[in-house]
Amino acid sequence: MNKFLRTLLPADIAKGLSVTGKHFSQVFFTANRRKVPFHIVSEYPEVPAKVQPRFRGRLTMLKDEQGVIKCICCLACEKICPTQVITIEKGKQEGRKMPYPVRYDFEMERCIFCEFCVESCGFDAIILNHQFELAAYNREDFSLGTVGLDQNMFEPSHVGKFSVADD
Amino acid sequence: MFKNEEMEINLGPQHPSTHGVLRVKLRLDGETVTHCRPMIGYLHRGVEKICENQSFFQGQVWTDRMDYCSAVANNLGWAEANEKLFGITVPRRAQYIRTLLNEFNRIASHLIWLGTHAMDIGALTVFLYAFREREDVLDINEAFCGSRLTTTAFRIGGLREDLPPGFEKMVRKFLAKFSDCLEEYENLLTENRIWKKRTIGVARLSAEDAIALGVTGPMLRAAGVAYDIRKAFPYAAYAEMDFEIPTRPEADTYARYQVRMAEMRQSARIIQQCMDGMPEGPVMAKLPKILRSEVNEVYHATESPKGEIGYYLVGEKGSLNPYRFHVRAPGFINLQSLPKMAEGGLIADVVAAIGSLDIVLGEIDR
């Protein structure tokens, strides 16, 4: 019985509540969270999240200064990919000595964002950009490429365009 | 009228306190557990077989996904096992950075354990506090290798890149506040009457039983056996570090809590030493373009936050991929001690026992 009564000590309850009160008052008197640096959480969809410079986001192809695709179809990225999400079709383009990728397909639904492809590329033709909001409604939206309607290997894709931060 | 009948129930596979899809078959006599068997295999992905079909270089991404709470520790084991297989010497600066990240990973893994274990037992606040500091560790991961959870941090032969600019500042900032944070957790738990009642004397596992079952890591050290692979078979830069192996003689859930808290302090100490004594130089050894193995076999064990994680690799002549790959997962072997701990106790203590094991089902089922 004595033991049970000790569990109801008001001193313990007050101690616990004082911690809660301290944190509550900190938040309560600084209501606008955007301006307060010591808050640990941020209002994410309204305030865009910052990522580190090395962040591994979605695979993107690069073009050089003349707007020509840098990729020369060495197939290194296709071979190194642990989940085989890259498919390249080699071809020729008029006025270009190097092979030209007729198709460069990227199946994002299976991509694991390991950056092995970028590491293997000797021509700096691909990078992983900083896009991380990659949800979409349809499975087809994850099949990216260089030809056809899904020509979005060069800029941030329509996948993720439903983010609140863009509105 | 009052028949003495035993009841069989399942804890899991989708139970919040089983840390994944673990099913525990329990036979109960009232509230006392008379029989307990963990059932595993719900998260089996065949990681070992996938790795056998991929090159040595590619295999690392699968080790991230075994124990996703301590991906860096798994990467380290994989990279070092391969370096042993091919006879590669890693530059000293790379060794130091590996040690540094591995200890950060230990802190992150133990913080997850602390938060979820305390939440299982009923202390919700610690979870939020622990995840606050874990966020900083994940930011450090992100700054170094670009990913937060599935890091793929190291390469065979060293590292992909050197430390990023501003990395040291992040680490120093974390170290400056971390000991205060640990005190904050301990204020919430160590002398907490409910916490002590739920953990002291609960789920005992004696040193003899632990050794007989092959249990390693904090579970074994909480039973009074000072066995740590970082000291027993030093790897990376641990031979040059000054740290202690915390042990407790009680072998109960409270002792495991104390051991893991002390380990986080030691990890912070190792990070401090790594940062102070960071040598200059290259971070990648000279490697052949394609790694082809000889007929050779290698077992390399490292101390992951959960215990001894061992990689067994068999090479084939001229092959690009391992002939056989096997993982000695600490979670899988530690889980075998659950019947020993739970049988004879109350059903509420099974949850405490599972929590104190610190298991991740991705690693157990692989």
mmCIF file of all heavy atoms in Angstrom, chain B residues 72-73 76 80 91-107 154 159 230 234-243 266-275 278-279 303:
data_model
loop_
_atom_site.group_PDB
_atom_site.id
_atom_site.type_symbol
_atom_site.label_atom_id
_atom_site.label_comp_id
_atom_site.label_asym_id
_atom_site.label_seq_id
_atom_site.Cartn_x
_atom_site.Cartn_y
_atom_site.Cartn_z
ATOM 1 N N VAL B 72 25.777 1.916 -42.401
ATOM 2 C CA VAL B 72 27.205 2.203 -42.543
ATOM 3 C C VAL B 72 28.039 1.057 -41.977
ATOM 4 O O VAL B 72 29.047 0.661 -42.561
ATOM 5 C CB VAL B 72 27.555 3.536 -41.845
ATOM 6 C CG1 VAL B 72 29.026 3.820 -41.945
ATOM 7 C CG2 VAL B 72 26.783 4.674 -42.462
ATOM 8 N N ALA B 73 27.606 0.490 -40.852
ATOM 9 C CA ALA B 73 28.341 -0.619 -40.245
ATOM 10 C C ALA B 73 28.330 -1.824 -41.186
ATOM 11 O O ALA B 73 29.323 -2.543 -41.295
ATOM 12 C CB ALA B 73 27.732 -0.979 -38.900
ATOM 13 N N LEU B 76 30.753 -1.202 -44.033
ATOM 14 C CA LEU B 76 32.133 -1.350 -43.588
ATOM 15 C C LEU B 76 32.539 -2.815 -43.616
ATOM 16 O O LEU B 76 33.606 -3.167 -44.108
ATOM 17 C CB LEU B 76 32.297 -0.770 -42.180
ATOM 18 C CG LEU B 76 33.689 -0.832 -41.595
ATOM 19 C CD1 LEU B 76 34.620 0.054 -42.373
ATOM 20 C CD2 LEU B 76 33.699 -0.422 -40.147
ATOM 21 N N GLU B 80 35.409 -4.318 -46.076
ATOM 22 C CA GLU B 80 36.622 -4.904 -45.495
ATOM 23 C C GLU B 80 36.758 -6.381 -45.856
ATOM 24 O O GLU B 80 37.866 -6.863 -46.057
ATOM 25 C CB GLU B 80 36.608 -4.716 -43.979
ATOM 26 C CG GLU B 80 36.738 -3.246 -43.619
ATOM 27 C CD GLU B 80 37.446 -3.041 -42.310
ATOM 28 O OE1 GLU B 80 37.331 -3.918 -41.449
ATOM 29 O OE2 GLU B 80 38.114 -2.007 -42.173
ATOM 30 N N PRO B 91 44.122 3.298 -47.547
ATOM 31 C CA PRO B 91 44.877 4.426 -46.981
ATOM 32 C C PRO B 91 44.401 4.791 -45.578
ATOM 33 O O PRO B 91 43.245 4.548 -45.216
ATOM 34 C CB PRO B 91 44.588 5.567 -47.962
ATOM 35 C CG PRO B 91 44.127 4.925 -49.197
ATOM 36 C CD PRO B 91 43.505 3.641 -48.826
ATOM 37 N N ARG B 92 45.332 5.385 -44.827
ATOM 38 C CA ARG B 92 45.059 5.616 -43.411
ATOM 39 C C ARG B 92 43.937 6.639 -43.208
ATOM 40 O O ARG B 92 43.115 6.510 -42.303
ATOM 41 C CB ARG B 92 46.346 6.095 -42.731
ATOM 42 C CG ARG B 92 46.315 5.942 -41.243
ATOM 43 C CD ARG B 92 47.672 5.726 -40.645
ATOM 44 N NE ARG B 92 47.595 6.034 -39.218
ATOM 45 C CZ ARG B 92 47.875 7.230 -38.718
ATOM 46 N NH1 ARG B 92 48.250 8.202 -39.496
ATOM 47 N NH2 ARG B 92 47.770 7.445 -37.420
ATOM 48 N N ARG B 93 43.890 7.655 -44.054
ATOM 49 C CA ARG B 93 42.837 8.665 -43.920
ATOM 50 C C ARG B 93 41.454 8.041 -44.139
ATOM 51 O O ARG B 93 40.501 8.339 -43.422
ATOM 52 C CB ARG B 93 43.058 9.787 -44.922
ATOM 53 C CG ARG B 93 42.071 10.927 -44.771
ATOM 54 C CD ARG B 93 42.386 12.055 -45.713
ATOM 55 N NE ARG B 93 41.310 13.037 -45.752
ATOM 56 C CZ ARG B 93 41.157 14.025 -44.885
ATOM 57 N NH1 ARG B 93 42.008 14.154 -43.900
ATOM 58 N NH2 ARG B 93 40.156 14.884 -44.989
ATOM 59 N N ALA B 94 41.384 7.136 -45.111
ATOM 60 C CA ALA B 94 40.119 6.444 -45.358
ATOM 61 C C ALA B 94 39.706 5.609 -44.150
ATOM 62 O O ALA B 94 38.524 5.558 -43.782
ATOM 63 C CB ALA B 94 40.236 5.568 -46.597
ATOM 64 N N GLN B 95 40.694 4.960 -43.504
ATOM 65 C CA GLN B 95 40.399 4.165 -42.312
ATOM 66 C C GLN B 95 39.788 5.040 -41.219
ATOM 67 O O GLN B 95 38.833 4.651 -40.550
ATOM 68 C CB GLN B 95 41.690 3.532 -41.772
ATOM 69 C CG GLN B 95 42.402 2.620 -42.720
ATOM 70 C CD GLN B 95 41.834 1.224 -42.699
ATOM 71 O OE1 GLN B 95 40.644 1.048 -42.502
ATOM 72 N NE2 GLN B 95 42.670 0.247 -42.923
ATOM 73 N N TYR B 96 40.363 6.231 -41.053
ATOM 74 C CA TYR B 96 39.870 7.130 -40.007
ATOM 75 C C TYR B 96 38.453 7.595 -40.311
ATOM 76 O O TYR B 96 37.601 7.639 -39.422
ATOM 77 C CB TYR B 96 40.814 8.339 -39.868
ATOM 78 C CG TYR B 96 41.837 8.155 -38.773
ATOM 79 C CD1 TYR B 96 42.871 7.253 -38.937
ATOM 80 C CD2 TYR B 96 41.745 8.856 -37.577
ATOM 81 C CE1 TYR B 96 43.805 7.063 -37.940
ATOM 82 C CE2 TYR B 96 42.678 8.680 -36.565
ATOM 83 C CZ TYR B 96 43.699 7.783 -36.762
ATOM 84 O OH TYR B 96 44.611 7.591 -35.769
ATOM 85 N N ILE B 97 38.207 7.943 -41.574
ATOM 86 C CA ILE B 97 36.863 8.422 -41.919
ATOM 87 C C ILE B 97 35.855 7.290 -41.754
ATOM 88 O O ILE B 97 34.732 7.496 -41.289
ATOM 89 C CB ILE B 97 36.859 8.996 -43.350
ATOM 90 C CG1 ILE B 97 37.786 10.208 -43.428
ATOM 91 C CG2 ILE B 97 35.467 9.391 -43.759
ATOM 92 C CD1 ILE B 97 38.005 10.751 -44.804
ATOM 93 N N ARG B 98 36.262 6.076 -42.105
ATOM 94 C CA ARG B 98 35.376 4.928 -41.914
ATOM 95 C C ARG B 98 35.033 4.731 -40.446
ATOM 96 O O ARG B 98 33.873 4.504 -40.086
ATOM 97 C CB ARG B 98 36.054 3.653 -42.434
ATOM 98 C CG ARG B 98 36.020 3.527 -43.916
ATOM 99 C CD ARG B 98 36.727 2.278 -44.329
ATOM 100 N NE ARG B 98 36.600 2.061 -45.754
ATOM 101 C CZ ARG B 98 36.964 0.933 -46.346
ATOM 102 N NH1 ARG B 98 37.467 -0.049 -45.638
ATOM 103 N NH2 ARG B 98 36.824 0.791 -47.640
ATOM 104 N N THR B 99 36.055 4.822 -39.600
ATOM 105 C CA THR B 99 35.824 4.670 -38.163
ATOM 106 C C THR B 99 34.864 5.738 -37.658
ATOM 107 O O THR B 99 33.937 5.457 -36.896
ATOM 108 C CB THR B 99 37.165 4.773 -37.418
ATOM 109 O OG1 THR B 99 38.103 3.932 -38.059
ATOM 110 C CG2 THR B 99 37.025 4.370 -35.980
ATOM 111 N N LEU B 100 35.097 6.960 -38.119
ATOM 112 C CA LEU B 100 34.265 8.092 -37.696
ATOM 113 C C LEU B 100 32.796 7.852 -38.051
ATOM 114 O O LEU B 100 31.901 7.951 -37.205
ATOM 115 C CB LEU B 100 34.792 9.339 -38.398
ATOM 116 C CG LEU B 100 34.029 10.639 -38.226
ATOM 117 C CD1 LEU B 100 34.582 11.345 -37.020
ATOM 118 C CD2 LEU B 100 34.169 11.524 -39.422
ATOM 119 N N LEU B 101 32.546 7.473 -39.309
ATOM 120 C CA LEU B 101 31.161 7.283 -39.749
ATOM 121 C C LEU B 101 30.529 6.073 -39.082
ATOM 122 O O LEU B 101 29.344 6.068 -38.765
ATOM 123 C CB LEU B 101 31.114 7.126 -41.262
ATOM 124 C CG LEU B 101 31.321 8.416 -42.029
ATOM 125 C CD1 LEU B 101 31.499 8.123 -43.485
ATOM 126 C CD2 LEU B 101 30.150 9.346 -41.844
ATOM 127 N N ASN B 102 31.355 5.040 -38.848
ATOM 128 C CA ASN B 102 30.835 3.848 -38.199
ATOM 129 C C ASN B 102 30.361 4.168 -36.784
ATOM 130 O O ASN B 102 29.317 3.692 -36.347
ATOM 131 C CB ASN B 102 31.940 2.783 -38.176
ATOM 132 C CG ASN B 102 31.409 1.424 -37.849
ATOM 133 O OD1 ASN B 102 30.233 1.161 -38.031
ATOM 134 N ND2 ASN B 102 32.274 0.573 -37.371
ATOM 135 N N GLU B 103 31.117 5.014 -36.093
ATOM 136 C CA GLU B 103 30.710 5.365 -34.726
ATOM 137 C C GLU B 103 29.472 6.258 -34.735
ATOM 138 O O GLU B 103 28.609 6.139 -33.867
ATOM 139 C CB GLU B 103 31.860 6.046 -33.989
ATOM 140 C CG GLU B 103 32.965 5.101 -33.602
ATOM 141 C CD GLU B 103 32.471 3.839 -32.912
ATOM 142 O OE1 GLU B 103 31.670 3.918 -31.973
ATOM 143 O OE2 GLU B 103 32.888 2.747 -33.348
ATOM 144 N N PHE B 104 29.376 7.145 -35.735
ATOM 145 C CA PHE B 104 28.142 7.926 -35.864
ATOM 146 C C PHE B 104 26.953 7.011 -36.078
ATOM 147 O O PHE B 104 25.865 7.221 -35.541
ATOM 148 C CB PHE B 104 28.254 8.917 -37.020
ATOM 149 C CG PHE B 104 28.684 10.274 -36.588
ATOM 150 C CD1 PHE B 104 29.820 10.858 -37.087
ATOM 151 C CD2 PHE B 104 27.948 10.961 -35.647
ATOM 152 C CE1 PHE B 104 30.223 12.109 -36.666
ATOM 153 C CE2 PHE B 104 28.339 12.211 -35.224
ATOM 154 C CZ PHE B 104 29.481 12.780 -35.735
ATOM 155 N N ASN B 105 27.190 5.974 -36.880
ATOM 156 C CA ASN B 105 26.122 5.037 -37.147
ATOM 157 C C ASN B 105 25.716 4.285 -35.889
ATOM 158 O O ASN B 105 24.538 4.007 -35.666
ATOM 159 C CB ASN B 105 26.596 4.069 -38.220
ATOM 160 C CG ASN B 105 25.473 3.252 -38.763
ATOM 161 O OD1 ASN B 105 25.535 2.051 -38.759
ATOM 162 N ND2 ASN B 105 24.428 3.910 -39.200
ATOM 163 N N ARG B 106 26.714 3.976 -35.048
ATOM 164 C CA ARG B 106 26.396 3.291 -33.781
ATOM 165 C C ARG B 106 25.497 4.182 -32.928
ATOM 166 O O ARG B 106 24.530 3.722 -32.324
ATOM 167 C CB ARG B 106 27.698 2.958 -33.051
ATOM 168 C CG ARG B 106 27.533 1.991 -31.898
ATOM 169 C CD ARG B 106 28.867 1.712 -31.251
ATOM 170 N NE ARG B 106 29.881 1.318 -32.213
ATOM 171 C CZ ARG B 106 30.003 0.095 -32.704
ATOM 172 N NH1 ARG B 106 29.203 -0.852 -32.304
ATOM 173 N NH2 ARG B 106 30.934 -0.180 -33.584
ATOM 174 N N ILE B 107 25.816 5.466 -32.900
ATOM 175 C CA ILE B 107 24.996 6.394 -32.122
ATOM 176 C C ILE B 107 23.575 6.432 -32.687
ATOM 177 O O ILE B 107 22.587 6.327 -31.950
ATOM 178 C CB ILE B 107 25.630 7.796 -32.120
ATOM 179 C CG1 ILE B 107 26.882 7.803 -31.247
ATOM 180 C CG2 ILE B 107 24.643 8.832 -31.611
ATOM 181 C CD1 ILE B 107 27.640 9.103 -31.265
ATOM 182 N N PHE B 154 30.879 3.482 -48.410
ATOM 183 C CA PHE B 154 32.275 3.171 -48.704
ATOM 184 C C PHE B 154 32.392 2.452 -50.040
ATOM 185 O O PHE B 154 31.416 2.006 -50.599
ATOM 186 C CB PHE B 154 32.868 2.297 -47.597
ATOM 187 C CG PHE B 154 32.609 2.823 -46.222
ATOM 188 C CD1 PHE B 154 32.099 2.016 -45.239
ATOM 189 C CD2 PHE B 154 32.855 4.150 -45.933
ATOM 190 C CE1 PHE B 154 31.857 2.517 -43.975
ATOM 191 C CE2 PHE B 154 32.615 4.655 -44.673
ATOM 192 C CZ PHE B 154 32.112 3.832 -43.688
ATOM 193 N N LEU B 159 37.300 5.169 -50.054
ATOM 194 C CA LEU B 159 36.071 5.949 -50.106
ATOM 195 C C LEU B 159 35.926 6.545 -51.497
ATOM 196 O O LEU B 159 36.899 6.672 -52.233
ATOM 197 C CB LEU B 159 36.127 7.096 -49.098
ATOM 198 C CG LEU B 159 36.514 6.776 -47.687
ATOM 199 C CD1 LEU B 159 36.781 8.061 -46.948
ATOM 200 C CD2 LEU B 159 35.411 6.013 -46.999
ATOM 201 N N ARG B 230 35.940 -4.776 -31.776
ATOM 202 C CA ARG B 230 36.787 -3.604 -31.979
ATOM 203 C C ARG B 230 38.065 -3.702 -31.161
ATOM 204 O O ARG B 230 39.098 -3.162 -31.528
ATOM 205 C CB ARG B 230 36.023 -2.339 -31.585
ATOM 206 C CG ARG B 230 34.908 -2.010 -32.526
ATOM 207 C CD ARG B 230 34.136 -0.810 -32.064
ATOM 208 N NE ARG B 230 33.368 -1.096 -30.862
ATOM 209 C CZ ARG B 230 32.758 -0.166 -30.139
ATOM 210 N NH1 ARG B 230 32.851 1.089 -30.481
ATOM 211 N NH2 ARG B 230 32.070 -0.500 -29.068
ATOM 212 N N PRO B 234 41.038 -5.888 -33.824
ATOM 213 C CA PRO B 234 40.820 -4.518 -34.302
ATOM 214 C C PRO B 234 40.810 -4.429 -35.827
ATOM 215 O O PRO B 234 41.601 -5.077 -36.503
ATOM 216 C CB PRO B 234 42.011 -3.743 -33.730
ATOM 217 C CG PRO B 234 42.498 -4.559 -32.607
ATOM 218 C CD PRO B 234 42.227 -5.976 -32.966
ATOM 219 N N TYR B 235 39.883 -3.655 -36.348
ATOM 220 C CA TYR B 235 39.797 -3.400 -37.783
ATOM 221 C C TYR B 235 39.696 -1.890 -37.956
ATOM 222 O O TYR B 235 39.670 -1.159 -36.976
ATOM 223 C CB TYR B 235 38.582 -4.118 -38.386
ATOM 224 C CG TYR B 235 37.278 -3.762 -37.738
ATOM 225 C CD1 TYR B 235 36.473 -2.765 -38.278
ATOM 226 C CD2 TYR B 235 36.856 -4.402 -36.591
ATOM 227 C CE1 TYR B 235 35.289 -2.420 -37.673
ATOM 228 C CE2 TYR B 235 35.677 -4.065 -35.979
ATOM 229 C CZ TYR B 235 34.898 -3.071 -36.522
ATOM 230 O OH TYR B 235 33.735 -2.719 -35.923
ATOM 231 N N ALA B 236 39.625 -1.423 -39.212
ATOM 232 C CA ALA B 236 39.645 0.012 -39.527
ATOM 233 C C ALA B 236 40.726 0.692 -38.690
ATOM 234 O O ALA B 236 41.859 0.220 -38.647
ATOM 235 C CB ALA B 236 38.268 0.642 -39.357
ATOM 236 N N ALA B 237 40.387 1.761 -37.977
ATOM 237 C CA ALA B 237 41.416 2.461 -37.194
ATOM 238 C C ALA B 237 41.214 2.247 -35.699
ATOM 239 O O ALA B 237 41.684 3.039 -34.898
ATOM 240 C CB ALA B 237 41.395 3.949 -37.530
ATOM 241 N N TYR B 238 40.519 1.170 -35.317
ATOM 242 C CA TYR B 238 40.192 1.005 -33.903
ATOM 243 C C TYR B 238 41.397 0.682 -33.045
ATOM 244 O O TYR B 238 41.377 0.926 -31.842
ATOM 245 C CB TYR B 238 39.124 -0.077 -33.715
ATOM 246 C CG TYR B 238 37.761 0.410 -34.095
ATOM 247 C CD1 TYR B 238 37.103 -0.080 -35.201
ATOM 248 C CD2 TYR B 238 37.147 1.399 -33.353
ATOM 249 C CE1 TYR B 238 35.861 0.387 -35.563
ATOM 250 C CE2 TYR B 238 35.904 1.878 -33.708
ATOM 251 C CZ TYR B 238 35.271 1.369 -34.808
ATOM 252 O OH TYR B 238 34.048 1.848 -35.160
ATOM 253 N N ALA B 239 42.462 0.131 -33.664
ATOM 254 C CA ALA B 239 43.647 -0.194 -32.872
ATOM 255 C C ALA B 239 44.295 1.067 -32.309
ATOM 256 O O ALA B 239 44.967 1.014 -31.283
ATOM 257 C CB ALA B 239 44.643 -0.953 -33.745
ATOM 258 N N GLU B 240 44.083 2.207 -32.991
ATOM 259 C CA GLU B 240 44.724 3.449 -32.544
ATOM 260 C C GLU B 240 43.827 4.268 -31.627
ATOM 261 O O GLU B 240 44.226 5.330 -31.169
ATOM 262 C CB GLU B 240 45.092 4.291 -33.772
ATOM 263 C CG GLU B 240 46.103 3.608 -34.668
ATOM 264 C CD GLU B 240 46.181 4.232 -36.044
ATOM 265 O OE1 GLU B 240 46.093 5.467 -36.129
ATOM 266 O OE2 GLU B 240 46.320 3.484 -37.022
ATOM 267 N N MET B 241 42.611 3.787 -31.380
ATOM 268 C CA MET B 241 41.661 4.567 -30.582
ATOM 269 C C MET B 241 41.725 4.143 -29.123
ATOM 270 O O MET B 241 41.999 2.985 -28.812
ATOM 271 C CB MET B 241 40.231 4.366 -31.094
ATOM 272 C CG MET B 241 40.031 4.802 -32.504
ATOM 273 S SD MET B 241 40.256 6.550 -32.652
ATOM 274 C CE MET B 241 40.729 6.679 -34.348
ATOM 275 N N ASP B 242 41.440 5.092 -28.263
ATOM 276 C CA ASP B 242 41.421 4.822 -26.833
ATOM 277 C C ASP B 242 39.970 4.843 -26.365
ATOM 278 O O ASP B 242 39.333 5.891 -26.352
ATOM 279 C CB ASP B 242 42.256 5.906 -26.125
ATOM 280 C CG ASP B 242 42.121 5.804 -24.614
ATOM 281 O OD1 ASP B 242 42.038 4.661 -24.130
ATOM 282 O OD2 ASP B 242 42.095 6.856 -23.952
ATOM 283 N N PHE B 243 39.433 3.678 -26.057
ATOM 284 C CA PHE B 243 38.046 3.607 -25.572
ATOM 285 C C PHE B 243 37.882 2.398 -24.664
ATOM 286 O O PHE B 243 38.732 1.518 -24.617
ATOM 287 C CB PHE B 243 37.051 3.554 -26.744
ATOM 288 C CG PHE B 243 37.166 2.331 -27.605
ATOM 289 C CD1 PHE B 243 36.297 1.259 -27.441
ATOM 290 C CD2 PHE B 243 38.151 2.249 -28.578
ATOM 291 C CE1 PHE B 243 36.409 0.134 -28.239
ATOM 292 C CE2 PHE B 243 38.257 1.125 -29.378
ATOM 293 C CZ PHE B 243 37.389 0.065 -29.206
ATOM 294 N N GLN B 266 31.112 6.273 -25.327
ATOM 295 C CA GLN B 266 32.398 5.845 -25.879
ATOM 296 C C GLN B 266 32.489 6.179 -27.357
ATOM 297 O O GLN B 266 33.553 6.571 -27.840
ATOM 298 C CB GLN B 266 32.597 4.336 -25.663
ATOM 299 C CG GLN B 266 32.656 3.911 -24.208
ATOM 300 C CD GLN B 266 33.789 4.558 -23.455
ATOM 301 O OE1 GLN B 266 34.854 4.801 -24.019
ATOM 302 N NE2 GLN B 266 33.578 4.861 -22.200
ATOM 303 N N SER B 267 31.373 6.037 -28.068
ATOM 304 C CA SER B 267 31.372 6.367 -29.494
ATOM 305 C C SER B 267 31.708 7.830 -29.705
ATOM 306 O O SER B 267 32.503 8.170 -30.592
ATOM 307 C CB SER B 267 30.003 6.074 -30.100
ATOM 308 O OG SER B 267 29.790 4.704 -30.182
ATOM 309 N N ALA B 268 31.116 8.687 -28.873
ATOM 310 C CA ALA B 268 31.403 10.112 -28.984
ATOM 311 C C ALA B 268 32.887 10.370 -28.734
ATOM 312 O O ALA B 268 33.508 11.214 -29.391
ATOM 313 C CB ALA B 268 30.554 10.902 -27.991
ATOM 314 N N ARG B 269 33.463 9.581 -27.798
ATOM 315 C CA ARG B 269 34.893 9.712 -27.514
ATOM 316 C C ARG B 269 35.725 9.328 -28.739
ATOM 317 O O ARG B 269 36.706 9.995 -29.075
ATOM 318 C CB ARG B 269 35.247 8.777 -26.359
ATOM 319 C CG ARG B 269 35.897 9.485 -25.192
ATOM 320 C CD ARG B 269 36.134 8.509 -24.080
ATOM 321 N NE ARG B 269 37.511 8.099 -24.008
ATOM 322 C CZ ARG B 269 37.937 7.081 -23.267
ATOM 323 N NH1 ARG B 269 37.078 6.383 -22.543
ATOM 324 N NH2 ARG B 269 39.196 6.765 -23.230
ATOM 325 N N ILE B 270 35.346 8.228 -29.399
ATOM 326 C CA ILE B 270 36.099 7.771 -30.575
ATOM 327 C C ILE B 270 35.998 8.807 -31.693
ATOM 328 O O ILE B 270 36.988 9.102 -32.367
ATOM 329 C CB ILE B 270 35.582 6.396 -31.045
ATOM 330 C CG1 ILE B 270 35.843 5.336 -29.972
ATOM 331 C CG2 ILE B 270 36.268 5.978 -32.337
ATOM 332 C CD1 ILE B 270 35.230 4.008 -30.254
ATOM 333 N N ILE B 271 34.795 9.380 -31.871
ATOM 334 C CA ILE B 271 34.623 10.392 -32.921
ATOM 335 C C ILE B 271 35.534 11.577 -32.654
ATOM 336 O O ILE B 271 36.190 12.095 -33.558
ATOM 337 C CB ILE B 271 33.146 10.831 -32.990
ATOM 338 C CG1 ILE B 271 32.281 9.683 -33.498
ATOM 339 C CG2 ILE B 271 32.984 12.023 -33.904
ATOM 340 C CD1 ILE B 271 30.811 9.898 -33.305
ATOM 341 N N GLN B 272 35.596 11.979 -31.386
ATOM 342 C CA GLN B 272 36.469 13.092 -30.999
ATOM 343 C C GLN B 272 37.917 12.796 -31.378
ATOM 344 O O GLN B 272 38.605 13.633 -31.962
ATOM 345 C CB GLN B 272 36.336 13.312 -29.486
ATOM 346 C CG GLN B 272 37.059 14.533 -28.961
ATOM 347 C CD GLN B 272 36.269 15.795 -29.227
ATOM 348 O OE1 GLN B 272 35.077 15.849 -28.956
ATOM 349 N NE2 GLN B 272 36.914 16.797 -29.785
ATOM 350 N N GLN B 273 38.366 11.556 -31.057
ATOM 351 C CA GLN B 273 39.752 11.183 -31.371
ATOM 352 C C GLN B 273 39.995 11.139 -32.863
ATOM 353 O O GLN B 273 41.052 11.561 -33.345
ATOM 354 C CB GLN B 273 40.068 9.816 -30.761
ATOM 355 C CG GLN B 273 40.192 9.849 -29.260
ATOM 356 C CD GLN B 273 40.285 8.447 -28.697
ATOM 357 O OE1 GLN B 273 41.008 7.614 -29.212
ATOM 358 N NE2 GLN B 273 39.537 8.192 -27.646
ATOM 359 N N CYS B 274 39.008 10.624 -33.621
ATOM 360 C CA CYS B 274 39.142 10.572 -35.080
ATOM 361 C C CYS B 274 39.291 11.967 -35.648
ATOM 362 O O CYS B 274 40.108 12.217 -36.533
ATOM 363 C CB CYS B 274 37.903 9.939 -35.707
ATOM 364 S SG CYS B 274 37.893 8.177 -35.658
ATOM 365 N N MET B 275 38.477 12.879 -35.132
ATOM 366 C CA MET B 275 38.468 14.239 -35.647
ATOM 367 C C MET B 275 39.791 14.936 -35.324
ATOM 368 O O MET B 275 40.327 15.672 -36.147
ATOM 369 C CB MET B 275 37.308 14.983 -34.987
ATOM 370 C CG MET B 275 36.383 15.724 -35.896
ATOM 371 S SD MET B 275 35.904 14.883 -37.358
ATOM 372 C CE MET B 275 36.173 16.143 -38.564
ATOM 373 N N MET B 278 42.918 13.183 -37.390
ATOM 374 C CA MET B 278 42.664 12.832 -38.793
ATOM 375 C C MET B 278 43.912 13.053 -39.650
ATOM 376 O O MET B 278 44.402 14.179 -39.773
ATOM 377 C CB MET B 278 41.511 13.689 -39.308
ATOM 378 C CG MET B 278 41.104 13.397 -40.725
ATOM 379 S SD MET B 278 40.179 11.886 -40.897
ATOM 380 C CE MET B 278 38.606 12.324 -40.213
ATOM 381 N N PRO B 279 44.486 11.968 -40.218
ATOM 382 C CA PRO B 279 45.682 12.145 -41.044
ATOM 383 C C PRO B 279 45.328 12.690 -42.427
ATOM 384 O O PRO B 279 44.183 12.607 -42.864
ATOM 385 C CB PRO B 279 46.248 10.735 -41.136
ATOM 386 C CG PRO B 279 45.093 9.849 -40.919
ATOM 387 C CD PRO B 279 44.055 10.586 -40.144
ATOM 388 N N GLU B 303 32.154 -5.252 -35.618
ATOM 389 C CA GLU B 303 31.214 -5.016 -34.525
ATOM 390 C C GLU B 303 30.172 -4.019 -35.004
ATOM 391 O O GLU B 303 30.410 -2.827 -35.038
ATOM 392 C CB GLU B 303 31.974 -4.484 -33.313
ATOM 393 C CG GLU B 303 31.132 -4.254 -32.080
ATOM 394 C CD GLU B 303 30.798 -5.523 -31.328
ATOM 395 O OE1 GLU B 303 31.525 -6.507 -31.473
ATOM 396 O OE2 GLU B 303 29.802 -5.514 -30.594
#
